Amino acid sequence: GRVGAIVGPSGSGKSTLLGVVSGLIKADSGSVSLGSSTEPGRFVGPPTRSDVAWVPQGAHLLPERSVIDNVMMGRLSDGSTLYEAFRSSEHALHQVGLEDLAKARASTLSGGEIQRVALARAISSDRPILIADEPTASLDRLSA
């Protein structure tokens, strides 16, 4: 996969641009197109909400639910079976180094752990595009 970054000062429109690119915000003018017709298997045209997994600045977890429940919510809302959601969520938690906290209540997590749960939720969605708004803001240097 490819990784890109949008950088700039606070208030310069980075989050708005990410919202437009992800298809969550409609642009006032212009258009967004991903990929090109010269790259087989790549996106061509505007992204749709089902193409994009979004990791917001605030993780928006359900505090009284377990970590794995919070990760599974995305897959379940997309129509996956409980088994599929559980398996993909376990794998995603492993990828972000939180597999040992799967049964922990979300309200007990640190800010960095909360951000990694949000990232795991996006990873488990299996969507082809993952957009994260300041994904490392609450993380230590090694985790980032």
Side-chain angles (χ1 to χ4, degrees):
R2 293 183 184 175
V3 175
I6 298 170
V7 296
S10 181
S12 64
K14 299 180 301 292
S15 295
T16 301
L17 177 60
L18 289 174
V20 170
V21 169
S22 70
L24 296 174
I25 298 174
K26 184 171 174 22
D28 293 334
S29 63
S31 64
V32 174
S33 182
L34 300 176
S36 75
S37 59
T38 61
E39 296 180 74
R42 299 282 185 197
F43 290 91
V44 177
T48 65
R49 288 182 181 202
S50 62
D51 295 328
V52 179
W54 176 261
V55 182
Q57 284 185 33
H60 308 294
L61 301 183
L62 299 172
E64 297 307 313
R65 301 298 304 201
S66 69
V67 167
I68 196 150
D69 285 351
N70 273 278
V71 176
M72 289 173 57
M73 291 295 173
R75 282 297 292 255
L76 291 172
S77 68
D78 283 345
S80 290
T81 67
L82 190 57
Y83 179 78
E84 291 167 339
F86 183 78
R87 287 292 171 217
S88 67
S89 297
E90 274 188 324
H91 179 70
L93 285 171
H94 176 74
Q95 287 184 286
V96 299
L98 291 180
E99 63 273 16
D100 293 342
L101 294 178
K103 293 181 181 179
R105 185 174 279 172
S107 61
T108 66
L109 302 178
S110 70
E113 290 166 338
I114 290 169
Q115 191 64 31
R116 289 191 288 162
V117 170
L119 183 57
R121 185 171 48 207
I123 290 169
S124 79
S125 75
D126 252 352
R127 292 182 179 177
I129 302 168
L130 191 151
I131 294 180
D133 193 356
E134 297 196 33
T136 60
S138 300
L139 301 179
D140 60 87
R141 190 174 186 94
L142 181 62
S143 295

